[in-house]
Amino acid sequence: MSRTRIAGIVLAVAAVAITAIPAANAVPQSPDHASGPTVIGHRGASGYRPEHTLASYELAARMGADYVEPDLVSTKDGVLVARHEPEIGGTTDVSKHPEFADRKTTKMLDGVAVTGWFTTDFTLAELKTLRAVERLPQVRQRNTVYDGRYQIPTFQEIIDLVQRLDRELHRDIGIYPETKHPTFFKNLGLGTDQKLVDTLNRNGLNRRGAKVYVQSFEVGNLKALHRQLRVPLIQLTEATGQPYDFTVSGDKRTWADITSAAGLREVATYAQGIGPDKNQVIPRDATDHLGKPTSLVKDAHAARLKVHPYTFRPENVFLPADFRSSADPTAYGNLFGEIETYLRAGIDGFFTDTADIGIVARDEFLQG
Ligand code: G3P
Ligand code: CA
């Protein structure tokens, strides 16, 4: 099921060149702990707090997440802030600010017309007057009690938070930033890649051994970042379609090409892992039950790539039928069972909205 389709449901309730192995894998290896698969706090602890807020990242870190995951977009004045997409109507209270009513507009985002309010039309100072709201109020009603309480954080504020929690918790909490829609921002003269590199440099995080991964759904920007970064890169992939930068350049290769055995060997020339849609690892059958694992994990490991699929969520609406608790789409099902099934398939880590469940599932798996 595509990410777009999943979003719809929730809102309603290469010919890739074969290359010899991986120059990239000779360089920055993953800084992960030795204690097993990596638990990534997806948008923080977005199962419990409005996503991409300092409260969400802090909760994920305190739950024990190995990494917190900010998605990065640009403001009008070129500051990196955390939002899942440049349009902020669904995750902030901007629609309730009459002073910004005339900023509502329609823009083309990766070939799709999107109407709303865009970070690229707001300075950081203006964005700071907004407050985050829960993206999925129908599914995560409890989280709506936090609506209106938290600002949109800058990337620097997230790094500062993580470094403060490192000292307090005596842990090295990782940061796993994603460059969102790189082509969109570049075309507006607000490219995010150099700012990401500069921020990591400024904070001493662009070095081997820093607990940082950098991810992207586009290929061109990740290849360019490979030349500038000393931390591992993750090529995100989808079940259908192709990277948007390929669409723009006329490159015919699809995600299926990129995730073929040959395509993965090409990915390994610039990245250290892939972040696939979990359905690319274990697809669902016609009854929405889990089928047999594909060869993706085996092929990725053969190319010396880690596999960190997305996104593991506890509500029935997101779970395969095997692990649902009832017909109530918002009730929790057996996420432990789903994660265990994927860990048995050999994944190296996973993105989850509920880091606490992810950690228990990981630990139980390791204990056998
Ligand atoms: O970055 C991994 C996962 O977060 C990708 O999906 O759309 O939630 O950013 P998305
Ligand atoms: Ca992401």
Side-chain angles (χ1 to χ4, degrees), residues 155-172:
F155 185 37
Q156 184 61 55
E157 288 169 339
I158 297 164
I159 293 172
D160 292 344
L161 169 72
V162 166
Q163 293 185 339
R164 174 171 67 77
L165 292 172
D166 282 349
R167 292 191 292 275
E168 178 191 329
L169 302 174
H170 306 288
R171 290 175 49 213
D172 188 10

Side-chain angles (χ1 to χ4, degrees), residues 3 42-43 69 71 84 178 180 215 236 310 351:
R3 292 186 311 132
H42 184 245
R43 312 183 197 174
E69 191 237 0
D71 293 327
H84 180 259
E178 177 184 349
K180 279 290 179 190
Q215 41 166 342
L236 298 171
Y310 62 87
F351 293 86

Side-chain angles (χ1 to χ4, degrees), residues 12 62 78 87 121 149 184 188 190 223 244:
R62 290 190 184 281
E87 200 286 308
D121 294 331
R149 295 195 141 70
F184 172 84
L188 289 173
L190 292 169
K223 286 186 170 178
Y244 185 63

Side-chain angles (χ1 to χ4, degrees), residues 291-309:
K292 287 204 169 75
T294 66
S295 64
L296 183 64
V297 170
K298 177 174 67 67
D299 294 341
H301 287 170
R304 290 192 272 160
L305 292 168
K306 290 184 179 294
V307 182
H308 294 170

